[in-house]
């Protein structure tokens, strides 16, 4: 195998400790511009879209690298470092420090270009898996201006953060913010209901001079259950289980929650009037739809009761829905829901509700690209809207790896039937022709500069579970792509001068019910399995990716970073050198 060494490319770099690197990430991501969406051709079950960010961040990383970096030593090490940098960029502290600014001399809070005057009039509520760390940063920033606060976090989260020695993500003992834990197994329960009731009491008592800061992250919906009377929590849970058994999506579940809960679908913002509301949101949903993240507590839903009833009919479950839910929705149907416009009574208040995304997958993938460039690769963010079947996405990445190698190898732009067929296949999976053209341009540039390429994607796939094994979508994707990489190594056209590495991992540090975030594989992985007497197909068909990665090479292909305290879905990294 040919190894390219880029030592000279870093002659002017400066070495940073991890702490200094975090600070650099914070300072540079401030320059990210407003995110813009671009669409591609979509296959029904595989969605590929992307959000773009300013090139300022990418350029700024060209002269900076982590102290442990050793470009060209191992592709696996590079992939791990790229992923770690991506996660670091969306941790609570760097997120909030780049998006929220407090000027102590003027007692002014600045969020997204808006300013708020603080006079010991700040109240804080939060719900989600990442809000403990977010609340710690907000309290350190605003100090005595905070009067009171309540956050609802997953049961056991405090103890878990202590075990991981992440004390900077826990509130101080003297904190004015009360912590409630609940939602065992990510489902609403009596504990999370109690927390929601206390949050409801707090926000309902606010006055016009008060400022409410709402911290929102993934898992927030289960941690803020507030069923409208006479619906009980048990009845709502019964409905949730019923819908889930029929294959309802999270968007469909949130449609129901927005219409049968007090604080969902903009309810919390309305309950807080006449106070000013600042909602700081960490998005774990593709596309960052404000009405779907934690069921949109500070964003008025455009849905209504009729849509809920239609959903029940679609799933043919109307006769199984709890009577209290049906009666409540029937009453709601009779009251025509008016859209909130400049003429509606709620507009004046909602005009003072600021919903601000502080972290998302686009920021993480942009940072991944910046780090890859710093390590000597040419980066491209393929998509931040990756969705669909896990194994189909793995097949897409396998074909994309072959496509990249073919572009690397071709000596001219003459028609190549193999390349043309592969291009058609990739477009069918959801990659637009324009995006493929970007890939071609990137690879041609890499060939001229003797650099490898790094193709990055983000989103959240789904895995059809048929077996009884242990795993998660990221480990399954890494395992499913391995045969495609092995086939390329076995191809005489590629095996001598080609290197490929693929990583898939969750930014929350947990993939399925396991302690791994994901896994990383290369072209030699299946050969190693064979040498150790393991059958990839057997483990894959049993959905037992975790145990395979645990057993092979003493678990060294696993990505284990512990519970991170953040979540912006998953990240995939494909590194190719030729």
């Amino acid at each position: 195998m040919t190894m390219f060494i880029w030592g000279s490319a870093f002659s002017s770099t400066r070495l940073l400790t991890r702490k200094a690197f975090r600070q650099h990430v914070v300072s540079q991501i401030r320059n990210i511009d407003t995110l813009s969406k671009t669409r591609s051709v979509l296959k029904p079950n595989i969605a590929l879209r992307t959000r773009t960010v300013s090139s300022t961040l990418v350029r700024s990383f060209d002269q900076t690298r982590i102290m442990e970096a050793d470009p060209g030593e191992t592709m696996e090490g590079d992939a791990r470092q790229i992923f770690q940098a991506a996660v670091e960029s969306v941790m609570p502290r760097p997120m909030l420090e780049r998006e929220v600014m407090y000027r102590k001399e003027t007692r002014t809070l600045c969020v997204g270009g808006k300013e708020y005057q603080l006079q010991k009039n700040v109240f804080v509520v939060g719900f989600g898996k990442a809000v403990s760390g977010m609340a710690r940063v907000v309290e350190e920033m605003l100090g005595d201006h905070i009067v009171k606060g309540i956050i609802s976090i997953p049961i056991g989260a405090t103890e878990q953060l202590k075990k991981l020695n992440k004390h900077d993500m826990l509130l101080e003992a003297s904190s004015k913010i009360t912590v409630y834990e609940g939602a065992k197994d990510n489902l609403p329960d009596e504990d999370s209901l109690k927390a929601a009731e206390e949050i409801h009491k707090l926000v309902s008592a606010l006055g016009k001079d008060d400022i409410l800061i709402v911290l929102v992250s993934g898992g927030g919906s289960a941690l803020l259950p507030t069923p409208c009377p006479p619906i009980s929590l048990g009845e709502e849970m019964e409905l949730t289980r019923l819908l889930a058994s029929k294959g309802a999506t999270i968007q469909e579940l949130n449609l129901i929650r927005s219409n049968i809960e007090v604080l969902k679908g903009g309810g919390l913002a309305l309950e807080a009037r006449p106070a000013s509301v600042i909602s700081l949101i960490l998005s774990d949903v593709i596309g960052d739809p404000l009405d779907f993240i934690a069921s949109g507590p500070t964003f008025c839903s455009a849905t209504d009761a009729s849509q809920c009833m239609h959903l029940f009919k679609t799933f043919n479950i109307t006769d199984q829905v709890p009577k209290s839910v049906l009666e409540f929705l029937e009453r709601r149907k009779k009251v025509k829901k008016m859209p909130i416009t400049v003429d509606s009574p709620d507009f004046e208040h909602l005009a003072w509700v600021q919903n601000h995304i502080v972290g998302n997958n686009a920021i993480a993938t942009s940072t991944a690209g910046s780090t890859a460039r710093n390590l000597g690769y040419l980066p491209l963010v393929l998509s931040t809207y990756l969705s669909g079947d896990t194994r189909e996405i793995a097949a897409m990445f396998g074909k994309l790896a072959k496509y990249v190698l073919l572009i690397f190898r071709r000596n001219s732009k003459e028609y190549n039937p193999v390349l043309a067929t592969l291009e058609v296949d990739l477009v069918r999976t959801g990659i637009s022709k324009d995006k493929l053209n970007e890939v071609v341009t990137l690879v041609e540039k890499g060939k001229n500069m003797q650099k490898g390429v790094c193709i990055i994607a983000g989103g959240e796939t789904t895995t059809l579970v048929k077996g009884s094994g242990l795993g998660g979508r990221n480990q399954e994707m890494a395992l499913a792509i391995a045969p495609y990489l092995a086939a390329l190594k076995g191809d005489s056209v590629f095996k001598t001068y080609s290197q490929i590495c693929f990583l898939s991992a969750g930014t929350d540090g947990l993939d399925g019910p396991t302690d791994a975030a994901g896994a990383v594989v290369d072209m030699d992985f299946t050969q190693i399995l064979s040498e150790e007497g393991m059958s990839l197909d057997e483990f894959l068909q049993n959905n037992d990716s975790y145990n395979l990665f645990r057993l092979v090479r003493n678990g060294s292909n696993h990505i284990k970073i512990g519970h991170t305290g953040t979540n912006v879905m998953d990240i995939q990294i494909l590194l190719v050198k030729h």
Side-chain angles (χ1 to χ4, degrees):
M1 259 184 210
T2 299
M3 296 287 286
F4 293 108
I5 306 298
W6 292 279
S8 61
F10 292 96
S11 59
S12 61
T13 61
R14 48 195 171 94
L15 300 177
L16 298 183
T17 63
R18 289 192 179 276
K19 181 177 180 182
F21 177 73
R22 292 190 191 101
Q23 293 171 345
H24 180 76
V25 169
V26 173
S27 65
Q28 298 303 327
I29 298 184
R30 293 182 193 276
N31 296 321
I32 291 179
D33 294 334
T34 302
L35 301 174
S36 60
K37 298 180 182 179
T38 59
R39 294 179 177 270
S40 72
V41 177
L42 299 179
K43 182 179 177 182
N45 65 330
I46 301 180
L48 281 168
R49 290 189 288 170
T50 186
R51 281 191 160 197
T52 57
V53 296
S54 169
S55 60
T56 304
L57 177 61
V58 177
R59 291 195 303 269
S60 71
F61 272 85
D62 285 345
Q63 299 299 314
T64 310
R65 63 188 174 103
I66 296 178
M67 184 168 62
E68 292 84 356
D70 190 2
E73 184 177 337
T74 68
M75 291 181 77
E76 180 183 321
D78 290 345
R80 288 175 182 272
Q81 185 168 308
I82 292 165
F83 173 68
Q84 186 64 49
V87 173
E88 196 74 53
S89 72
V90 289
M91 292 294 282
R93 190 169 298 279
M95 277 193 313
L96 292 175
E97 287 181 351
R98 73 171 175 257
E99 298 292 340
V100 180
M101 183 180 298
Y102 173 59
R103 298 191 183 102
K104 190 173 182 179
E105 61 278 7
T106 59
R107 295 181 299 182
T108 304
L109 177 66
C110 304
V111 180
K114 293 187 177 181
E115 296 187 350
Y116 301 84
Q117 197 64 41
L118 306 190
Q119 297 175 338
K120 297 187 177 181
N121 56 343
V122 177
F123 295 79
V124 179
V125 298
F127 28 89
K129 298 177 181 179
V131 302
S132 178
M134 294 170 75
R136 170 67 181 263
V137 176
V138 168
E139 188 160 47
E140 286 182 2
M141 189 179 295
L142 305 183
D144 291 340
H145 287 294
I146 295 177
V147 180
K148 184 180 180 181
I150 299 171
I151 61 172
S152 177
I153 62 175
I155 192 164
T158 300
E159 190 60 33
Q160 190 174 31
L161 289 171
K162 286 179 179 177
K163 286 182 179 179
L164 292 170
N165 203 32
K166 294 188 176 182
H167 298 286
D168 62 332
M169 300 183 73
L170 296 170
L171 291 166
E172 299 279 7
S174 58
S175 174
K176 296 175 183 176
I177 302 173
T178 303
V179 179
Y180 286 82
E181 292 192 355
K184 185 179 180 181
D185 298 324
N186 201 31
L187 294 171
D189 56 19
E190 292 298 327
D191 290 329
S192 59
L193 177 62
K194 175 63 176 175
E197 289 172 344
E198 293 301 315
I199 288 173
H200 191 186
K201 289 178 186 176
L202 187 153
V203 302
S204 299
L206 299 179
K208 65 181 180 63
D209 295 324
D210 294 325
I211 296 172
L212 176 67
I213 294 179
V214 184
L215 308 174
V216 185
S217 72
S221 191
L223 289 159
L224 192 75
T226 50
C228 296
I231 303 170
S232 68
L233 179 63
E235 288 169 328
E236 183 177 349
M237 286 303 302
E238 179 186 341
L239 176 59
T240 300
R241 286 191 290 268
L242 176 61
L243 286 166
S245 71
K246 299 297 181 179
T249 65
I250 187 63
Q251 289 84 359
E252 289 167 332
L253 290 174
N254 284 345
L255 162 66
I256 303 299
R257 291 165 177 161
S258 296
N259 282 277
I260 67 171
E261 291 195 32
V262 177
L263 299 182
K264 304 290 172 64
L268 188 145
L270 292 173
E271 290 293 313
R273 58 187 167 187
S276 296
V277 178
I278 307 168
S279 191
L280 304 177
I281 304 166
L282 172 62
S283 173
D284 70 333
V285 182
I286 290 176
D288 310 329
L290 295 176
D291 51 340
F292 285 144
I293 304 170
S295 302
T298 56
F299 186 84
C300 277
S301 173
T303 63
D304 57 31
S306 296
Q307 290 170 275
C308 296
M309 300 298 282
H310 178 73
L311 186 64
F312 297 155
K313 289 180 180 178
T314 300
F315 286 117
N316 195 27
I317 60 170
T318 303
D319 59 344
Q320 300 174 62
V321 174
K323 184 179 178 181
S324 63
V325 174
L326 290 176
E327 291 178 348
F328 178 80
L329 290 174
E330 284 294 344
R331 288 197 299 273
R332 277 285 180 93
K333 280 175 64 178
K334 295 175 183 178
V335 180
K336 188 175 181 181
K337 187 171 181 178
M338 300 297 293
I340 295 179
T341 67
V342 291
D343 300 317
S344 64
D346 289 324
F347 179 80
E348 184 177 352
H349 170 67
L350 288 176
W352 294 100
V353 175
Q354 183 182 7
N355 287 294
H356 190 71
I357 300 288
V358 295
N360 60 10
N361 192 265
I363 291 171
T365 53
S366 176
T367 304
S370 304
T371 307
R373 184 182 298 276
N374 184 50
L375 291 171
Y377 298 88
L378 297 182
L380 174 69
V381 176
L382 183 71
S383 172
T384 56
Y385 285 71
L386 198 66
S387 65
D389 181 78
T390 299
R391 295 190 191 181
E392 289 188 35
I393 296 294
M396 180 204 73
F397 274 113
K399 293 176 182 178
L400 188 60
K402 183 176 182 178
Y403 185 77
V404 169
L405 286 180
L406 286 170
I407 299 296
F408 262 127
R409 278 191 56 81
R410 69 177 180 178
N411 295 319
S412 67
K413 294 187 179 181
E414 294 180 0
Y415 178 74
N416 182 325
V418 176
L419 195 62
T421 301
L422 196 55
E423 187 171 285
V424 171
D425 287 345
L426 287 169
V427 170
R428 284 174 179 167
T429 66
I431 304 178
S432 71
K433 188 65 171 67
D434 287 343
K435 186 58 70 171
L436 278 180
N437 288 338
E438 288 184 47
V439 172
V440 172
T441 301
L442 183 81
V443 178
E444 293 284 3
K445 185 177 179 181
K447 182 163 61 175
N448 293 334
M449 298 175 66
Q450 290 193 321
K451 288 192 173 188
V453 300
C454 174
I455 297 176
I456 303 156
E460 194 167 276
T461 63
T462 54
T463 299
L464 180 61
V465 178
K466 294 182 178 179
S468 58
L470 182 65
R473 58 181 177 265
N474 288 289
Q475 294 164 84
E476 178 127 342
M477 190 183 297
L479 189 57
I481 196 177
Y484 292 91
L485 304 188
L488 292 175
K489 183 176 176 63
D491 191 323
S492 59
V493 175
F494 303 122
K495 70 177 183 179
T496 306
Y497 300 106
S498 304
Q499 298 177 70
I500 305 173
C501 180
F502 178 81
L503 178 151
S504 183
T507 55
D508 62 353
L510 304 173
D511 185 37
T514 76
D515 61 352
V520 57
V521 296
D522 59 19
M523 299 174 80
D524 298 319
F525 185 73
T526 58
Q527 182 180 335
I528 294 169
L529 287 182
S530 179
E531 291 171 355
E532 297 194 14
M534 296 182 190
S535 169
L536 184 148
D537 288 340
E538 180 181 327
F539 281 88
L540 191 60
Q541 294 310 312
N542 194 36
N543 298 113
D544 202 17
S545 54
Y546 177 83
N547 283 317
L548 183 144
F549 284 116
R550 178 178 61 85
L551 294 169
V552 70
R553 294 177 61 197
N554 295 317
S556 61
N557 288 84
H558 258 143
I559 306 295
K560 290 190 176 183
I561 56 176
H563 177 56
T564 61
T566 190
N567 183 19
V568 293
M569 300 178 290
D570 305 331
I571 289 179
Q572 286 76 37
I573 298 166
L574 176 67
L575 300 178
V576 183
K577 293 181 184 177
H578 184 72

